[in-house]
Amino acid sequence: MEMGILQEVADLLRRAQRVAVLTGAGISAESGVPTFRQAQTGLWAQYDPQELATPEAFRRNPRLVWEWYAWRWQLVSQAEPNPGHFALVEMARRLPRLTLITQNVDGLHQRAGSQDAIELHGNLQRVKCYDHAHAVTTWEETAEIPPRCPICGSLLRPDVVWFGENLPLAALDAAFAAARECDLFFSIGTSALVHPAASIPLEALRAQAPVVEINPERTPLTHYVTYFLMGPSGQLLPQLVQLAWGQRL
Ligand code: BJW
């Protein structure tokens, strides 16, 4: 990539007042967490994630879906945040306002030190019950998988947003408001395929904010963005921070 483009984005970043950032699974790729659309490995290689992350899959085979999430939770808990996550923490420290919006359920932004990340698709770490969405932190371990809600007895599930389910309204409203009100928007490590999250950068474009996309691959958004920085976010974000503020991460 041309260094001039990186410098131009770094200059915009240094002068920005309100920055909004949308992240997807790609920002955690360099932490060793497989992206959502990457082929799964081992035992799970035969399953398509798009077909496991649905209420229908859970109703059909709750044990299978629960065990898939338990396996992913295991992977994520062994992973560490990478320089891309840390660069966003540094950007938030330097800028008057940065709103971090994530589609990720892995909690790595929070572990890197990002406070107040807006979670559009929930979090793997939390559990709720299927029938009433009771938030549950402890349950009785029996032979039954998934375990049952201690309040109502219905099956427990991860507190994430599956296909066909609504996103949490307050999170969605806050994300669109941040996109409307920002003077610079970043879309990082997302395939821009899943709605409504994929519409958030378009809202920023409608509000005349420059949109920067960071991804090693082109996406359906690439054609519309102001700057496309082609490459891994774990390298490009620390470079931007260094060019903007001279801070080596
Ligand atoms: C790197 C990198 C590196 C790699 N550095 N980058 C409008 C049009 C059409 C359909 C719909 C629509 N509105 C709603 C729908 C239906 C549906 C949808 O969007 N379907 C599409 C697939 C067509 N949406 C929904 O159902 C949503 N609900 C909803 O809208 O309710 C109302 C409604 C219902 C029904 C009809 C109409 C309205 C809910 C969506 C919930 C998504 N949930 C998941 C699972 C969460 C739990 C879990 O993890 O198991 O969220 S799906 C999955 O996709 C996950 C992710 O957050 C999400 C986005 O994926 P992401 O993050 O972009 O990851 P990848 O893997 O796709 O991409 C990784 C990228 O990283 C790639 O581009 C790589 O190149 C890049 N990369 N290395 C930087 N080092």
Side-chain angles (χ1 to χ4, degrees), residues 36 40 53 67-77 105 124:
F36 196 76
Q40 304 199 89
E67 287 181 337
W68 180 53
Y69 279 98
W71 171 73
R72 287 176 56 202
W73 168 238
Q74 189 68 19
L75 269 179
V76 161
S77 58
V105 297
L124 267 182

Side-chain angles (χ1 to χ4, degrees), residues 25 30 36-37 69 72 103 121 161 164-165 190-191 195 215:
E30 287 150 277
F36 196 76
R37 280 166 185 79
Y69 279 98
R72 287 176 56 202
Q103 299 170 81
H121 295 160
V161 181
E165 294 186 319
T190 173
S191 57
H195 287 271
N215 200 310

Side-chain angles (χ1 to χ4, degrees), residues 26-30 82-85 87 188-189 214-216 231-238:
I27 196 159
S28 298
E30 287 150 277
N82 70 59
H85 296 106
I188 304 171
I214 300 181
N215 200 310
S233 48
Q235 290 176 24
L236 290 172
L237 283 169

Side-chain angles (χ1 to χ4, degrees), residues 36-113:
F36 196 76
R37 280 166 185 79
Q38 223 165 38
Q40 304 199 89
T41 53
L43 272 181
W44 296 99
Q46 57 180 309
Y47 296 100
D48 175 358
Q50 298 227 65
E51 285 173 14
L52 289 173
T54 69
E56 293 75 24
F58 187 76
R59 282 196 297 268
R60 208 180 309 126
N61 193 342
R63 182 183 184 123
L64 178 78
V65 173
W66 178 269
E67 287 181 337
W68 180 53
Y69 279 98
W71 171 73
R72 287 176 56 202
W73 168 238
Q74 189 68 19
L75 269 179
V76 161
S77 58
Q78 287 161 5
E80 296 294 336
N82 70 59
H85 296 106
F86 290 118
L88 290 175
V89 177
E90 184 61 22
M91 277 162 61
R93 209 173 66 77
R94 299 267 178 179
L95 290 161
R97 182 149 159 202
L98 181 140
T99 305
L100 178 59
I101 307 156
T102 189
Q103 299 170 81
N104 297 348
V105 297
D106 59 25
L108 286 175
H109 283 304
Q110 291 81 349
R111 281 171 53 198

